[in-house]
Amino acid sequence: MKAIVEFGIPKAALQGDAPCGISASPGIIFPSARQAAKAAAQIAFVLFRRNKGVMPGTWKALVPSADKPRVTWWSHDQSAWVTVSLLDGKDRGSFAGTVK
């Protein structure tokens, strides 16, 4: 099943008076949840390491399922996020639109 990867930096983590956060909306679509999770883990590594954060687990922790159709990782200091969502026909909306 197809999945989408979104990632970004929330408004609270930006310098100055930013009107909103920065995200990769509308995201990147992958042919499978497994491929999306692997890509999301690589993106998380880049975003999270910029603050010398520790990676929380492996890419397998980012594979969504029917029980958990959206999986999100936040950096340890809440300065960046990466999420993987199943594209199963259910309208969840963009995760980026919910981040403050």
Side-chain angles (χ1 to χ4, degrees), residues 2-8 23-30 32-44 62 64 71 81-87 95:
K2 289 183 179 180
I4 188 167
V5 175
E6 297 173 87
F7 55 96
S23 73
S25 192
I28 305 165
I29 297 175
F30 290 85
S32 75
R34 189 175 170 100
Q35 288 175 324
K38 287 180 179 181
Q42 292 173 340
I43 292 166
L62 274 170
V71 181
W81 54 271
V82 176
T83 190
V84 181
S85 302
L86 288 180
L87 293 176
F95 183 77

Side-chain angles (χ1 to χ4, degrees), residues 64-78:
S65 64
D67 293 337
K68 195 170 181 183
R70 177 175 275 163
V71 181
T72 304
W73 272 356
W74 280 88
S75 62
H76 73 287
D77 61 358
Q78 303 292 295

Side-chain angles (χ1 to χ4, degrees), residues 10-21:
K11 177 181 176 180
L14 296 174
Q15 299 289 332
D17 190 23
C20 62

